[in-house]
Amino acid sequence: MSRSERAVLGVDPGSRRAGWAVLGGTADRPRLVACGEIALAAGLTFPERLATLHAALDRVVSEHAPVEAAVEAPFHGVSARSALQLAHARGVVLAVLGAAGIPVTEYAPASIKKAATGSGRADKGQVQAMIARLVPGAGSERGPDVCDAIATALCHLACSHARDRVASAAGSRPRP
């Protein structure tokens, strides 16, 4: 990867399955490095599923050495039990990334959808279709959790690019 590229890990956490994707390249030319789904077997106890998530995500981080991570923030509208389990899974994801010293940025689902499709109210099918168009190799056959992870990483590349441009413009102005 060149110096202008960032290895960004996008994660769509879940208590039954979690999607992950590593993007390189830039906001204008994203490049899919790797992606996958961490399936957490229904036959496992909840603590065993969390341990499986931890071990699998730790392997992803070790293998791909991302320098930044983006994680989808929780959304409202799920049951209290589901929200609590998702919070535990997110905690595992954040702990793995924190232990690896990887800076994490969280994005609301609407922000991720807007970055991928132009609309914060896009449905999963629209996100999948746009990701297939925007990110070479991220075909529409990828599952929804993987597409959400790719979209999360893409959102981070786009937001980071915008922040970098603002910082660069502010730094080039003469100071009063």
Side-chain angles (χ1 to χ4, degrees):
M1 237 178 264
S2 72
R3 289 188 70 201
S4 64
E5 290 184 330
R6 293 181 163 129
V8 174
L9 172 64
V11 182
D12 179 32
S15 61
R16 295 284 181 188
R17 75 182 66 72
W20 63 270
V22 177
L23 291 185
T26 62
D28 297 333
R29 293 180 183 255
R31 185 173 53 81
L32 182 62
V33 175
C35 63
E37 181 180 274
I38 301 167
L40 306 168
L44 297 176
T45 66
F46 188 61
E48 290 169 332
R49 288 197 321 258
L50 293 177
T52 301
L53 176 60
H54 184 283
L57 190 59
D58 195 48
R59 280 192 300 277
V60 168
V61 167
S62 294
E63 183 176 337
H64 298 290
V67 296
E68 296 174 273
V71 177
E72 186 172 331
F75 58 94
H76 302 289
V78 296
S79 71
R81 183 169 193 260
S82 294
L84 184 58
Q85 288 188 335
L86 178 59
H88 286 301
R90 289 184 79 256
V92 168
V93 169
L94 296 174
V96 168
L97 298 171
I102 299 169
V104 177
T105 304
E106 297 181 66
Y107 295 97
S111 297
I112 295 167
K113 291 174 183 180
K114 185 168 178 118
T117 68
S119 170
R121 295 180 176 214
D123 64 31
K124 285 196 177 283
Q126 291 170 310
V127 172
Q128 284 181 285
M130 284 306 293
I131 289 303
R133 287 184 182 97
L134 295 171
V135 182
S140 58
E141 73 279 354
R142 307 263 184 214
D145 297 303
V146 173
C147 281
D148 285 352
I150 295 169
T152 302
L154 184 63
C155 177
H156 186 70
L157 281 174
C159 290
S160 295
H161 177 70
R163 280 191 298 269
D164 291 349
R165 289 187 63 159
V166 168
S168 176
S172 64
R173 291 186 193 154
R175 295 197 173 152

